Amino acid sequence: MAKLKSLDDLLVHELQDLYNAEGQIVRALPKMIKAANPPELRAAFEEHLEQTEGQIERLEQAFKLLGMPAKGKKCDGMAGLLEEGKKMMEEDAEPAVMDAALISAAQKVEHYEIASYGCVCTYAEMLGYEQVHDLLGQNLEEEETTDEKLTMLAESVINVEAEEAGE
Ligand SMILES: [Fe+2]
């Protein structure tokens, strides 16, 4: 018999993936905060670190509502994205170019999370888990807001600086 028999099983599987992914993000963000130059970018990363801790708590509540232990399952996708980010931070780059690259790395992470939270939100809704859906929807919204904020930061300051640095 297949291990994933139902949408319920898939929901739990994906929540375990997200729970592990968020934990990886909490460990990676302090390095990104250190590597960022403009105070606005540092502040955005700092805010997202705090938000991520809240998201982990919501995931724990979701597990509880589903009667499952809060347990992660290694998220290879996030590990890969963060590994690429780490390698990039080791590059010798102009500060403004590094900032642009940090934003790019962070947005890749956000898009992974938006895809995952979008899916689990849909599953929870289809399965009639209203409270779980509500919790996951809050996380989804925060990721979307963060992504938009990063786009604005990239457009307003950082990409302009990177262009100037290359002139
Ligand atoms: Fe997150």
Side-chain angles (χ1 to χ4, degrees):
M1 172 106 73
K3 212 174 104 201
L4 295 173
K5 298 180 293 293
S6 62
L7 197 56
D8 265 282
D9 295 336
L10 184 61
L11 173 62
V12 171
H13 181 275
E14 293 291 292
L15 288 178
Q16 290 172 341
D17 178 279
L18 269 163
Y19 191 57
N20 175 270
E22 295 288 16
Q24 291 187 46
I25 293 166
V26 164
R27 288 192 296 277
L29 271 169
K31 284 168 226 148
M32 295 176 71
I33 293 168
K34 258 196 208 159
N37 297 290
E40 311 96 279
L41 184 56
R42 271 207 304 276
F45 285 155
E46 265 159 18
E47 191 192 334
H48 196 56
L49 176 56
E50 231 170 85
Q51 254 177 3
T52 304
E53 280 158 4
Q55 292 174 349
I56 288 173
E57 275 169 33
R58 286 195 201 106
L59 284 173
E60 285 166 355
Q61 281 175 268
F63 279 117
K64 203 169 171 197
L65 285 163
L66 294 168
M68 298 294 292
K71 191 170 94 177
K73 197 167 185 295
K74 171 90 190 283
C75 174
D76 290 320
M78 188 54 67
L81 288 175
L82 294 174
E83 178 60 28
E84 284 194 346
K86 197 176 144 234
K87 273 192 207 147
M88 193 274 309
M89 282 190 276
E90 288 161 5
E91 296 282 349
D92 177 28
E94 287 291 332
V97 178
M98 179 60 77
D99 293 327
L102 283 170
I103 291 185
S104 164
Q107 285 194 289
K108 286 174 190 167
V109 167
E110 288 313 310
H111 281 241
Y112 183 100
E113 291 191 284
I114 289 166
S116 292
Y117 279 120
C119 288
V120 288
C121 263
T122 304
Y123 304 157
E125 187 172 33
M126 287 169 75
L127 293 164
Y129 300 135
E130 264 178 56
Q131 282 175 284
V132 174
H133 175 256
D134 192 52
L135 288 163
L136 298 172
Q138 288 176 53
N139 283 10
L140 175 61
E141 228 179 85
E142 284 182 353
E143 309 295 10
E144 285 171 342
T145 309
T146 300
D147 181 52
E148 281 162 24
K149 200 185 241 173
L150 288 169
T151 298
M152 271 163 41
L153 271 171
E155 283 170 358
S156 64
V157 277
I158 292 146
N159 285 348
V160 177
E161 283 176 27
E163 268 175 41
E164 281 167 2
E167 272 165 14

